[in-house]
Amino acid sequence: KKLYKKQKLNKSMSTNNEKTNTVRPPIVAVMGHIDHGKSTLLDYIRKTNIVDGEAGGITQRISAYEVVHKDEKGVDQRITFLDTPGHEAFSKMRERGAKIADIAILVVSATEGVKPQTIEAWKTITESNLPYIVAINKMDKPEANLEKTKMELAENEIYLEGYGGKVPFTPISAKAGTGIDELLSLILILAEVENFNATPSENASGFIIEAHLDSKRGIEATLIIKNGTLKKGMTVVVEDSITSTRMMENFMGKMIDSATFSSPISLVGFNKMPQIGGEFKSFDKKSDAEEYAKSSTERKNDTKNIQSSVISDKKIIPIILKADVSGSIEAIEKEVSKIQSESAEYKIIVKGAGPISEGDIKGTDNETIIVGFNVKADKNATELALNRNMTILFFDIIYKLTEFLTEEMEKRRPRVEAVETTGKAKILKCFMRTKEKQVVGGRVLEGVITLDGTVRITRRDFEIGKGKVVNLEKGKIKTSAVEEGTEFGMMIESKIEIAAGDVVECFT
């Protein structure tokens, strides 16, 4: 703590002449490997439980929560937490969390140690230049080994305080609650050192962290305010998506009239699905907001024109993808892009948050794969798919979906016939011939000539026909194959009359 206060003093001395703004509560991203206890940590902090409701125990969407913790002086201080999923599929969402956050907590299990996703999360943190704290979790377990975990972190260039570095850490048990108060205090001290500021008088700006289609309320998005104040009567724009602040809720779902920096809020009524991770701006006048949205549309169209010039010669397998939230769509798109083939590729032709509807399926054929992730299909869509002999597939875990698509790619990719020569022989003599069979003698020039093999007959380097080896002899003894340099006799079944000097090539 003394070290942090000294850093704070040095920092404040260097910024005395700068414009003084209001202190902003920290926004904290919780990151780390799957099953290392990120969700359990947040569950304990906010006294709720989300793990039981997650498919396979995996958090599959970003969420934001505000908590209050007393600082060293006993004053209540706000902290906003971002729950960033740990599954590899959600690296984009984790990167977005790091972009929005001010501080990161890297959760590492004291029983399992450093895992590949731990390193990936750490790289995301360091590349974003985020100050961070390491929380060594599961200290309540008998097999927990704090020193071994510290050593593994050091081996991966994560040097903790007292272990060769300056990265603050605290041992915790997210399940039992041990060390959580110390962790929250450490966050507030680090926030004090970093001196996060914002200007309340400005119009609010920040980022979209989630969006989905509610069947009753319309398009709903979760926002994190990074600066300024958002009030009822203002208009919010995310690229070319626009909405009023008529229906504004806090993270608990309660209607509010205004919100300020570091607060997670929900807005309802966007005219189109906003881009996840997109920056939002707010305007007092609707006309100013519409002008900003219009300029964003023009920039987006320019980008699309550049991208459309890239043409693929692979077979396109179309996918209709509907999911519960936009974050899931983003993660699935990333996983689909990893499924590679030299001759085919997937293309998501329809995507969106919400149930599969009749309109999604119209205009497609039975080659299209229809996928629902954590959503259902309405009655009309089900009937239309049935009439067109199309199957709607439903998933609730991403890796199950990608396993299916990988297998489907293998089934659907185009097959190209390739001819491989396995042996070549020169015909030396021709003997008896019937209508479709001929006995000849020759020598193998290269490779192997095999019984029952298909042969190509060439004369002066031109192919004159094909045949099949129905009998093969070496030294008047029947054999199944003759090798390079060997003379042989064979009976070929072919409509072509073979002559001395011709070459036969055995191929597959």
Side-chain angles (χ1 to χ4, degrees), residues 436-456:
E436 290 190 359
K437 291 180 182 179
Q438 187 171 355
V439 178
V440 296
R443 180 187 295 110
V444 182
L445 301 177
E446 58 185 65
V448 178
I449 303 296
T450 56
L451 181 65
D452 296 326
T454 304
V455 293
R456 183 167 42 207

Side-chain angles (χ1 to χ4, degrees), residues 28-201:
V28 181
V30 183
M31 307 173 77
H33 186 77
I34 188 170
D35 292 336
H36 277 198
K38 300 178 302 300
S39 295
T40 311
L41 170 61
L42 283 167
D43 289 342
Y44 187 88
I45 290 171
R46 64 181 180 261
K47 304 296 184 185
T48 60
N49 194 313
I50 64 166
V51 176
D52 293 343
E54 297 290 350
I58 303 171
T59 304
Q60 303 202 76
R61 59 179 82 172
I62 266 193
S63 300
Y65 311 87
E66 271 186 332
V67 300
V68 176
H69 183 70
K70 292 186 185 300
D71 62 15
E72 291 177 302
K73 299 173 184 177
V75 179
D76 285 346
Q77 300 286 356
R78 282 194 301 134
I79 304 172
T80 296
F81 281 94
L82 298 178
D83 181 3
T84 63
H87 190 280
E88 196 275 335
F90 294 87
S91 63
K92 272 193 177 180
M93 293 174 72
R94 288 203 301 279
E95 288 161 12
R96 184 168 66 248
K99 179 182 177 183
I100 297 165
D102 304 307
I103 295 170
I105 295 176
L106 180 63
V107 179
V108 186
S109 168
T111 61
E112 295 183 31
V114 177
K115 295 287 183 181
Q117 285 171 15
T118 310
I119 301 304
E120 185 189 348
W122 172 69
K123 285 180 179 176
T124 300
I125 292 167
T126 54
E127 285 167 7
S128 302
N129 293 318
L130 275 180
Y132 68 102
I133 299 163
V134 173
I136 302 177
N137 192 24
K138 302 191 180 182
M139 289 301 297
D140 56 305
K141 300 276 187 183
E143 63 270 30
N145 192 328
L146 181 60
E147 290 306 310
K148 184 182 177 184
T149 306
K150 288 181 182 179
M151 188 178 294
E152 284 188 18
L153 287 164
E155 286 170 356
N156 287 279
E157 300 181 4
I158 305 171
Y159 302 107
L160 303 183
E161 285 180 341
Y163 217 87
K166 296 180 180 179
V167 178
F169 77 96
T170 181
I172 66 167
S173 167
K175 188 176 180 181
T178 311
I180 303 300
D181 282 345
E182 289 81 354
L183 177 62
L184 295 176
S185 296
L186 203 53
I187 291 168
L188 292 178
I189 292 167
L190 195 53
E192 198 178 356
V193 170
E194 294 297 325
N195 195 25
F196 303 121
N197 288 318
T199 309
S201 59

Side-chain angles (χ1 to χ4, degrees), residues 31 103 115 128 237 257 267 279-280 434 451 458:
M31 307 173 77
I103 295 170
K115 295 287 183 181
S128 302
V237 183
D257 293 327
L267 286 180
E279 187 174 0
F280 78 82
T434 61
L451 181 65
T458 60

